[in-house]
C-alpha cells in the first residue's frame, strides 16, 4: 500500500545541540536504510519549514505505524497520514 505522510518536526529549543545532532544523525541513517529497501519511496523537503512530504510503500497500516514509531525524531513530530490508491486516469503502470 502507498501512503502520503507529512512530518513536521519540532525539536525543543532547549534541547542540547549534541543530543539534537545525535537524533538527526540516527534519523538520517534510519530513513536512508528504509529508502534503500524501497519502503520509503520518496522524501521531499517543504521549503521554509522543518517538515517533509514522504511516500511509503508498505504492507499496510501496522507496518507504517511501526516504521513511524521507530523514527528517532518521532517524539518531536506531528505526523499526518493519507492512504493512496491508483487513479484510473494515471498513465503510469509502475505504481500500485
Amino acid at each position: 500500500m502507498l501512503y502520503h505522510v507529512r512530518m513536521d518536526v519540532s525539536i525543543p529549543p532547549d534541547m542540547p545541540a549534541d543530543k539534537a545532532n545525535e537524533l538527526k544523525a540516527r534519523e538520517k541513517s534510519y530513513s536512508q536504510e528504509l529508502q534503500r529497501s524501497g519502503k520509503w519511496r520518496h522524501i521531499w523537503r517543504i521549503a521554509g519549514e522543518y517538515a517533509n512530504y514522504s511516500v511509503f510503500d508498505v504492507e499496510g497500516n501496522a507496518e507504517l505505524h511501526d516504521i513511524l514509531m521507530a523514527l528517532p525524531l518521532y517524539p518531536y513530530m506531528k505526523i499526518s497520514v493519507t492512504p493512496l490508491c491508483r487513479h484510473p486516469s494515471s498513465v503510469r503502470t509502475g505504481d500500485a
Side-chain angles (χ1 to χ4, degrees):
M1 286 187 71
L2 295 177
Y3 294 89
H4 172 270
V5 179
R6 178 178 171 135
M7 296 179 232
D8 292 86
V9 181
S10 182
I11 296 174
D14 60 345
M15 179 182 286
D18 58 332
K19 181 177 179 183
N21 290 335
E22 186 267 334
L23 280 171
K24 291 175 194 177
R26 286 180 32 226
E27 182 87 11
K28 181 176 182 176
S29 176
Y30 180 56
S31 73
Q32 289 179 341
E33 174 187 323
L34 289 165
Q35 289 173 66
R36 286 185 195 95
S37 78
K39 295 200 178 282
W40 195 325
R41 269 218 202 160
H42 300 281
I43 182 169
W44 297 94
R45 176 179 287 161
I46 301 172
E49 299 181 36
Y50 194 174
N52 73 74
Y53 285 124
S54 293
V55 175
F56 287 84
D57 188 357
V58 295
E59 290 299 314
N61 297 338
E63 184 179 13
L64 179 64
H65 178 79
D66 291 344
I67 286 170
L68 296 176
M69 292 284 293
L71 291 168
L73 288 172
Y74 177 81
Y76 310 103
M77 289 182 174
K78 176 184 173 198
I79 298 175
S80 58
V81 176
T82 305
L84 301 172
C85 61
R86 184 175 168 76
H87 194 283
S89 297
S90 176
V91 296
R92 302 207 183 267
T93 58
D95 288 332

